[in-house]
Amino acid sequence: MKVIFRPLFLGLFVFSVFFPFLSIIIWSIAAGWRFPDLLPERYSMRGYSIAFDPNGDIVRGVITSTIIALIVGVIATVIGSAAGRAIAMYNFKMKKAFQFLVLAPLIVPGLAVTMGIQILFIKYGLSDTVRGVILAHLIPTVPYVVMIMSGTFANFDRSYEEQGQVLGASRLTVMRKVTLPMVLPGLAVSFLFAFVISWSEYILTLLVGGAAVKTLPMVLFAFLRGSDLTLVGAASIVFMIPPLILLRFTSKHLVGRTSSVTGLGSV
Amino acid sequence: MTNKNITAPTSMFKVKSRASKGKLKERNVIWLVLPTALVLTTLFAGGFIFGILQSLGFFSVIAGDEEKIGFEAYLNAFQNETVRAGIILTFRVAILSTFFSTIIALAISLMISRTKRFQSALIAITQFNIPIPHVVAATGILLTFSQSGIISRLTNHFGITDGSSGFPIVTNDPFGYGIIMSYLWKEVPFLCILILSALRGPVTNLDETAKTLGASYRFRLRKVILPYIFPSILSGTIIVFAFSFGSYEVPYILGQPYPSTVSVVAYQLYTNRDLANRPTAMALATITSVVIGLLVYAYMKLTQQEGRK
Amino acid sequence: MKFKLLRKLLVVMLVATIPGIIATASSSAIGTTTYTSPEWKKILKEAKGQTVNWYMWGGGANINTYVNEYIGAEAKKYGVTLNQVKLNGTAEAVNKVLGEKQAGKNTGGAVDMIWINGENFATGVQAKIWYCDWATKLPNAKYVDWTSSSVNSDFGLPVNGCEAPWATASSGLVYDSKVVPKSAVATLDGFVAWVKANPGKFTYPAPPDFNGSMTVRRLFYYANGGYSNFLGTYDAATFTPAMAKTATFLNSLEPSLWRKGATYPANIGDLEKLYASGEVSAYFNYGALSSFANVQTGLFPTSTRVAAFKEGMIGNISYVTIPYNSPNKAGAQVIANIMQSPAAQMKMQVDGVIGSPAIVMNKTPLSSQYRSLPIHPSSTSPATLAKNANPELTSAWLKAIDAGWIKDVQQK
């Protein structure tokens, strides 16, 4: 009994990870799928031809979302890593207050903050613009990067940097040749989180971009409010692909010996 | 400089070393901190404070309402039936998802860490849902568990249920089952990677030592493993709870028009044609933030006491 | 010598004004004063190179295709770029302009045009955020019957040249003829009886969804024996007993609705998903005349039909309006004019975009072509739906009925 318990439970887990995708995939290639049919009567690629139409909303959504998520990912990773290093390796005045400031966006719903700031965004011409959306996306992403990188830097051995400096290398060279390679796993995971959060963000984009900035979540949400489930299915599949590709490249750093995700474990 | 060989073994010992080295004081730390501080202060703190101000009546849209500064919006929020029902629903959904996702993630992580065969495959599978956007997750749950979803079609085919209306209602339902399922589907993997990472750390050494000293798995679990990974679990639970409480997309797709969770209600109030509802929306958002904050604080205090035992 | 030249000049000038006189004369024959030729030329010149941000409900695939591909292409011929901004609800666009006015942004607004009517239009009128004095002047306005009360008054509120008609939406009952017999859809009485005898197959979206609001409104008329008592300004004394009657009726209907009325679909898209998968078999829809498009893609069953009750269906006209702070008013007017052209209006019906034309097709050169348009079996003629049409009520009634439904039916 005990012998089969673990494989059964784990098997159930694996099944539940993949099962919900089945209905999305089937709907994406269905030409109508009435209840009680187990499978659609007819299949069609209509959903995907609309999805990959270069002039269509989905392609434009992919481009917009990619640009925004890449920029957000880079900015959040850069400034968050600096802050993470500061928290992990230094003591400074107002450190506790700074840590609180960094953690608070994880507690306070993004909706609350964006509703509050909208009037300022309109006044300063940031609403309905891509740069306004990028700024808004920094709010939920930077805290994750700070936490991950503070975990990475907590396990970081300064003596390597010091050795580099002693051997005569400039600060910049030390950073490039010593620090960067050592914290690369952490940076990779940080970028993954920041990118995925920005890529998936809906309500912040809606409030700041105001339907004028057409990211992929906005497009998918609009389809979900319509009646065409085939299109919803195809758009969902397209929506999933870029983040999964990014995961493929960073997955070995997520759970590894030098795992930086432990940083998230020190709220 | 390859880090794989050098960092891996030494990092296990280095965890404590920064404490022995002591934290550094440096003037230049301000440059590390400044960009993040600037971004978060202006956008986050600024937005939050502006929201509170608007909830108190400042910056009113309706001309001539400048005298109406006060807590009226908060009164309106508490008297609003939709808000009250929404708060109850949100609590239920957030607490249940957080509780079950933590337990399930803990169980799975421990099982995976004890499994030798297929371990890397299992870890890869665990990570699979992390980059999936919540909107897609909610769509998947909706299309799978709705009354005309794939499971209903299967049970109908085999005569277990009769027709679409014979299938139990677990999506767009009053209890919030669909919402909870969607949260579980995304949050269990997230918590798993937190816990699995912690399990890979220095605790393995301590565990090995205890094992050689003859301790049973149960004993090691209670006295060595769990206390060690506790901070990660705590941290993950807080993040998951706060997210479940404040999320918009999932309850919108899998919930009902009434009652709906606080974020959905807040957004509806904010975009309502009657502009007098805007301060009420801000009031609700502020109340939500305070509630989550208090709960997190209480949770941390409670578990810190437990940890000291 | 000088006088000869002067006389020639005078004659030339006089002759040059004749086309202008003829133009204004013929347009005032229909009762509107359109832009004079030089005025319109100026607008066309200004519009060249502009990008018009048209904010509209984005949940209709056919509407989106028509707007982006057809209207967009036509606009390009005038050098105007059309940018459709899809909304979850028209209120979002109204809110945006309101927010801009609140922030003091009186020029350079983000919204150039909004597809709108009813309550949303009324909110804007109240807040004074519409650009006016243009809608009746468009060249194609000559095809619009501005004397008709269904055109010059929007849910009871005078249009006053602040919005241009786009489409007529006559609601209809969309149903699956394999499940609902033809005899059950002849009268509303008969349909209600069928619903009670066949539980779980009918429902409506929760107000304030546009179609949900319309269904509740139609059943409000039904429960009160007609609409005649409610045509004037809102009156609480008349409303309260009428709402009570309606709530009693709707609550008695609940056990026969989908999910026994314990919940309602959030919007028309969710309801159509239910229809497409077969969970429900009938619903009311402003866009009933576009259902056939879903049959063509295979989403809806081929047994889909559209019916109008003998007691009449609710219909209205939807418009486009231009916010006061739009920086592209010329381009927006050019597009509004394109939308009102006979070719565009006819294509709208043929492609199953929204409903039927808002212009009088009989007065256009395409009149005979329009009359001989084929009707898809899963659709019906606009005339059928418009027979015995029930009017809309003013915003105050709408708000009250929606709020009454939420309180007395949904929250019970």
Side-chain angles (χ1 to χ4, degrees):
Chain A
M1 191 39 194
K2 248 191 172 179
V3 183
I4 59 163
F5 182 69
R6 202 195 302 165
L8 186 68
F9 203 69
L10 287 176
L12 210 65
F13 171 65
V14 171
F15 178 73
S16 65
V17 165
F18 292 117
F19 188 61
F21 290 112
L22 189 61
S23 46
I24 298 181
I25 295 174
I26 297 180
W27 264 110
S28 75
I29 50 174
W33 193 16
R34 313 260 306 151
F35 188 92
D37 299 343
L38 277 182
L39 286 174
E41 244 179 41
R42 280 171 305 130
Y43 296 92
S44 113
M45 292 306 279
R46 179 178 65 91
Y48 286 106
S49 65
I50 296 179
F52 289 117
D53 175 12
N55 296 321
D57 281 332
I58 297 180
V59 168
R60 263 184 283 172
V62 169
I63 295 173
T64 311
S65 283
T66 308
I67 293 175
I68 293 178
L70 279 175
I71 296 178
V72 170
V74 168
I75 297 179
T77 306
V78 168
I79 71 175
S81 308
R85 182 186 171 100
I87 290 180
M89 296 169 67
Y90 301 89
N91 272 327
F92 49 94
K93 265 205 294 202
M94 315 249 306
K95 180 170 170 176
K96 272 249 174 317
F98 183 66
Q99 281 176 294
F100 182 76
L101 181 65
V102 165
L103 294 174
L106 293 174
I107 308 287
V108 173
L111 187 60
V113 175
T114 328
M115 286 198 307
I117 209 168
Q118 208 192 22
I119 185 175
L120 285 178
F121 267 45
I122 296 177
K123 210 180 189 105
Y124 294 115
L126 286 170
S127 69
D128 304 307
T129 62
V130 168
R131 44 179 208 282
V133 171
I134 290 175
L135 283 175
H137 283 197
L138 288 177
I139 301 174
T141 51
V142 169
Y144 272 95
V145 176
V146 175
M147 293 214 306
I148 293 172
M149 291 312 289
S150 67
T152 307
F153 279 112
N155 292 336
F156 180 73
D157 189 357
R158 271 203 108 227
S159 61
Y160 292 107
E161 280 184 344
E162 285 164 357
Q163 276 179 37
Q165 282 181 309
V166 161
L167 289 171
S170 70
R171 282 193 101 114
L172 203 62
T173 316
V174 167
M175 193 175 90
R176 258 190 340 131
K177 300 248 175 194
V178 178
T179 320
L180 221 56
M182 288 175 77
V183 298
L184 200 61
L187 290 176
V189 173
S190 298
F191 184 78
L192 173 71
F193 269 82
F195 183 91
V196 168
I197 292 173
S198 169
W199 179 264
S200 322
E201 187 58 57
Y202 172 73
I203 193 70
L204 259 58
T205 314
L206 179 62
L207 274 173
V208 173
V213 177
K214 297 169 198 168
T215 58
L216 206 44
M218 313 282 295
V219 175
L220 183 54
F221 225 80
F223 289 152
L224 271 168
R225 283 172 145 264
S227 48
D228 195 339
L229 282 174
T230 305
L231 206 49
V232 167
S236 300
I237 301 287
V238 170
F239 197 11
M240 281 168 28
I241 304 293
L244 281 174
I245 294 177
L246 193 57
L247 176 70
R248 176 71 188 80
F249 286 112
T250 54
S251 124
K252 63 179 187 278
H253 300 302
L254 263 180
V255 180
R257 293 291 196 92
T258 56
S259 179
S260 8
V261 176
T262 44
L264 281 173
S266 355
V267 166
Chain B
M1 190 171 218
T2 56
N3 54 1
K4 268 188 257 184
N5 301 327
I6 299 172
T7 325
T10 53
S11 72
M12 282 194 262
F13 297 102
K14 287 295 179 196
V15 174
K16 298 275 187 262
S17 76
R18 72 164 157 77
S20 60
K21 265 189 179 289
K23 301 264 177 101
L24 303 154
K25 285 182 186 252
E26 218 176 276
R27 285 168 303 160
N28 290 340
V29 76
I30 189 160
W31 298 114
L32 293 177
V33 166
L34 195 63
T36 302
L38 215 64
V39 163
L40 289 182
T41 313
T42 50
L43 295 176
F44 172 74
F48 190 51
I49 292 173
F50 254 89
I52 298 180
L53 289 176
Q54 287 180 64
S55 74
L56 294 172
F58 294 94
F59 311 110
S60 168
V61 197
I62 306 164
D65 256 11
E66 282 85 27
E67 295 85 44
K68 274 203 188 146
I69 307 286
F71 290 95
E72 190 182 327
Y74 288 87
L75 271 161
N76 284 340
F78 282 120
Q79 284 169 349
N80 189 320
E81 180 58 44
T82 327
V83 168
R84 287 207 301 263
I87 291 180
I88 296 174
L89 171 69
T90 315
F91 261 106
R92 181 167 67 234
V93 162
I95 291 178
L96 286 175
S97 343
T98 310
F99 179 72
F100 284 111
S101 57
T102 308
I103 294 193
I104 296 175
L106 189 59
I108 293 180
S109 304
L110 289 171
M111 280 187 213
I112 291 181
S113 69
R114 300 235 297 158
T115 311
K116 302 293 184 289
R117 259 195 325 173
F118 306 125
Q119 193 185 62
S120 43
L122 281 170
I123 294 179
I125 291 173
T126 314
Q127 297 172 350
F128 191 78
N129 284 357
I130 308 261
I132 307 289
H134 279 274
V135 180
V136 175
T139 305
I141 298 290
L142 184 68
L143 295 177
T144 306
F145 290 98
S146 76
Q147 287 185 307
S148 51
I150 204 170
I151 295 186
S152 172
R153 292 170 199 248
L154 281 166
T155 55
N156 179 65
H157 183 81
F158 290 113
I160 306 174
T161 58
D162 181 27
S164 58
S165 44
F167 190 78
I169 299 172
V170 291
T171 57
N172 304 114
D173 65 294
F175 187 83
Y177 288 114
I179 302 174
I180 294 174
M181 280 194 285
S182 185
Y183 284 154
L184 284 177
W185 193 72
K186 277 280 293 177
E187 284 157 9
V188 164
F190 173 73
L191 289 171
C192 277
I193 62 157
L194 281 193
I195 299 174
L196 282 170
S197 305
L199 285 172
R200 288 294 198 94
V203 70
T204 47
N205 266 13
L206 292 161
D207 190 42
E208 284 296 316
T209 316
K211 202 183 199 176
T212 50
L213 288 174
S216 70
Y217 181 67
R218 257 228 188 107
F219 186 81
R220 281 167 13 228
L221 193 66
R222 258 190 352 162
K223 295 286 180 183
V224 179
I225 299 174
L226 282 179
Y228 187 82
I229 63 175
F230 185 73
S232 294
I233 301 178
L234 176 65
S235 180
T237 318
I238 291 174
I239 295 177
V240 160
F241 178 77
F243 174 79
S244 313
F245 207 92
S247 164
Y248 176 86
E249 299 100 87
V250 176
Y252 184 83
I253 295 173
L254 285 165
Q256 296 182 310
Y258 172 87
S260 35
T261 61
V262 287
S263 284
V264 177
V265 174
Y267 183 74
Q268 279 171 354
L269 285 170
Y270 186 73
T271 54
N272 194 292
R273 262 174 259 126
D274 189 358
L275 291 167
N277 282 321
R278 279 207 187 177
T280 317
M282 309 283 185
L284 180 56
T286 311
I287 295 170
T288 307
S289 310
V290 168
V291 164
I292 300 178
L294 285 173
L295 282 170
V296 166
Y297 183 72
Y299 181 67
M300 287 178 78
K301 270 275 170 304
L302 215 71
T303 47
Q304 264 165 19
Q305 282 176 6
E306 285 288 315
R308 296 246 165 90
K309 272 201 213 156
Chain C
M1 268 275 280
K2 254 204 214 155
F3 283 131
K4 252 203 183 151
L5 203 60
L6 200 61
R7 221 179 301 155
K8 269 207 186 134
L9 215 60
L10 269 166
V11 170
V12 168
M13 274 166 48
L14 264 164
V15 171
T17 58
I18 292 177
I21 295 174
I22 295 177
T24 37
S26 53
S27 53
S28 32
I30 305 191
T32 66
T33 35
T34 49
Y35 284 121
T36 59
S37 185
E39 279 176 335
W40 185 243
K41 270 216 179 73
K42 190 159 155 254
I43 291 179
L44 285 173
K45 191 157 160 241
E46 218 182 297
K48 232 194 195 123
Q50 286 188 342
T51 299
V52 175
N53 293 315
W54 184 4
Y55 281 61
M56 54 187 294
W57 177 67
N62 277 10
I63 303 178
N64 297 337
T65 310
Y66 173 82
V67 165
N68 287 307
E69 291 177 15
Y70 177 71
I71 304 278
E74 291 295 307
K76 269 264 175 271
K77 295 182 186 163
Y78 294 89
V80 178
T81 309
L82 174 58
N83 177 34
Q84 184 205 31
V85 180
K86 296 187 182 59
L87 304 170
N88 289 327
T90 306
E92 286 172 19
V94 179
N95 270 310
K96 178 171 281 284
V97 183
L98 284 170
E100 288 180 340
K101 186 164 189 196
Q102 175 193 15
K105 200 172 184 182
N106 293 320
T107 52
V111 183
D112 294 315
M113 205 158 77
I114 306 177
W115 178 28
I116 201 172
N117 69 5
E119 279 181 84
N120 287 308
F121 177 67
T123 307
V125 168
Q126 193 187 17
K128 295 196 179 35
I129 56 172
W130 304 137
Y131 175 57
C132 292
D133 199 35
W134 62 275
T136 51
K137 294 182 175 173
L138 297 175
N140 282 326
K142 62 179 184 263
Y143 298 126
V144 176
D145 184 7
W146 280 106
T147 60
S148 158
S149 59
S150 50
V151 176
N152 60 34
S153 123
D154 182 355
F155 281 57
L157 200 62
V159 167
N160 271 340
C162 304
E163 47 178 10
W166 184 22
T168 304
S170 305
S171 64
L173 179 78
V174 180
Y175 68 100
D176 184 354
S177 53
K178 277 215 182 99
V179 177
V180 188
K182 203 141 181 255
S183 56
V185 302
T187 63
L188 188 41
D189 264 330
F191 182 68
V192 170
W194 181 89
V195 170
K196 287 193 170 153
N198 297 273
K201 291 288 161 193
F202 170 74
T203 187
Y204 51 92
D209 173 84
F210 211 44
N211 282 288
S213 187
M214 174 266 292
T215 313
V216 170
R217 208 151 49 242
R218 184 63 189 86
L219 295 174
F220 179 86
Y221 298 168
Y222 177 71
N224 286 286
Y227 51 82
S228 42
N229 290 338
F230 315 111
L231 289 177
T233 39
Y234 174 74
D235 165 34
T238 317
F239 170 74
T240 315
M243 187 66 224
K245 264 203 208 137
T246 312
T248 312
F249 167 67
L250 288 175
N251 283 320
S252 76
L253 195 62
E254 269 201 334
S256 318
L257 297 179
W258 173 76
R259 294 234 184 142
K260 299 200 181 50
T263 186
Y264 296 83
N267 50 60
I268 188 68
D270 285 352
L271 179 46
E272 289 193 318
K273 288 203 266 286
L274 292 175
Y275 181 83
S277 56
E279 270 189 64
V280 301
S281 304
Y283 65 102
F284 290 28
N285 191 2
Y286 271 125
L289 290 180
S290 344
S291 306
F292 76 88
N294 282 330
V295 176
Q296 286 172 329
T297 53
L299 269 173
F300 282 6
T302 48
S303 43
T304 301
R305 300 282 177 268
V306 174
F309 302 125
K310 190 154 145 261
E311 300 96 324
M313 310 297 290
I314 291 183
N316 65 44
I317 294 193
S318 54
Y319 306 73
V320 285
T321 182
I322 301 178
Y324 80 112
N325 61 355
S326 156
N328 301 301
K329 295 189 179 72
Q333 290 180 67
V334 167
I335 293 191
N337 192 52
I338 293 172
M339 284 154 51
Q340 284 187 342
S341 68
Q345 291 275 312
M346 195 165 80
K347 187 170 167 63
M348 207 170 57
Q349 186 174 319
V350 168
D351 288 358
V353 176
I354 302 178
S356 49
I359 62 176
V360 186
M361 291 304 289
N362 282 337
K363 288 213 170 91
T364 71
L366 295 175
S367 155
S368 50
Q369 231 181 311
Y370 177 73
R371 267 195 298 252
S372 49
L373 275 181
I375 307 275
H376 190 279
S378 292
S379 187
T380 185
S381 70
T384 312
L385 291 184
K387 204 188 284 189
N388 207 3
N390 285 202
E392 298 279 15
L393 304 178
T394 61
S395 288
W397 286 104
L398 254 67
K399 278 206 186 94
I401 297 175
D402 280 358
W405 181 87
I406 290 177
K407 193 163 129 290
D408 298 333
V409 179
Q410 186 183 47
Q411 287 182 354
K412 263 189 62 172

